[in-house]
Amino acid sequence: MIPEPPRPPAPTRAEGACLGSRLQAADRLGRANPARGDRTCVALRSAQALAESAIALRDALTRMHRNGESDVHSATLARALRALDGERRTNRPTLPPLSGPEGI
């Protein structure tokens, strides 16, 4: 029987805040994406709130730096992002896939 590999460390509180604010920014940017939405009012409110998410992300990264968290454990954080539905959420700000003969 092969032993189970050691579990990756849980994200720190600052890393969790970093992930949360990054996903929140992606959600807001996705709602402001003209290629995926149809309401200017929703896009406007999302764009206005995007600055708030950017500030939260900056603050989380500042806390990480001040706490001596100088290394980013990308594999651990990528697993956490996937667990938080990060692939779908970060895809919304991009262009939708081409469809049809005209690519529209």
Side-chain angles (χ1 to χ4, degrees):
M1 184 146 123
I2 299 172
E4 214 174 290
R7 294 188 65 138
T12 65
R13 183 173 290 166
E15 287 174 328
C18 179
L19 295 175
S21 56
R22 190 220 186 281
L23 289 173
Q24 183 181 54
D27 289 339
R28 289 175 171 170
L29 190 58
R31 283 192 288 276
N33 184 352
R36 292 195 183 259
D38 57 358
R39 305 288 305 179
T40 57
C41 184
V42 171
L44 175 61
R45 284 195 309 266
S46 295
Q48 290 168 336
L50 187 56
E52 190 180 293
S53 298
I55 290 168
L57 178 58
R58 180 203 61 200
D59 292 348
L61 289 166
T62 300
R63 275 193 307 279
M64 287 174 66
H65 182 69
R66 286 187 185 149
N67 291 343
E69 299 176 45
S70 57
D71 296 328
V72 175
H73 303 284
S74 57
T76 300
L77 298 179
R79 277 192 293 276
L81 283 169
R82 285 187 182 93
L84 296 168
D85 198 22
E87 288 179 302
R88 180 190 61 81
R89 294 168 72 183
T90 56
N91 190 43
R92 287 199 68 217
T94 64
L95 288 172
L98 295 175
S99 63
E102 304 86 35
I104 300 175

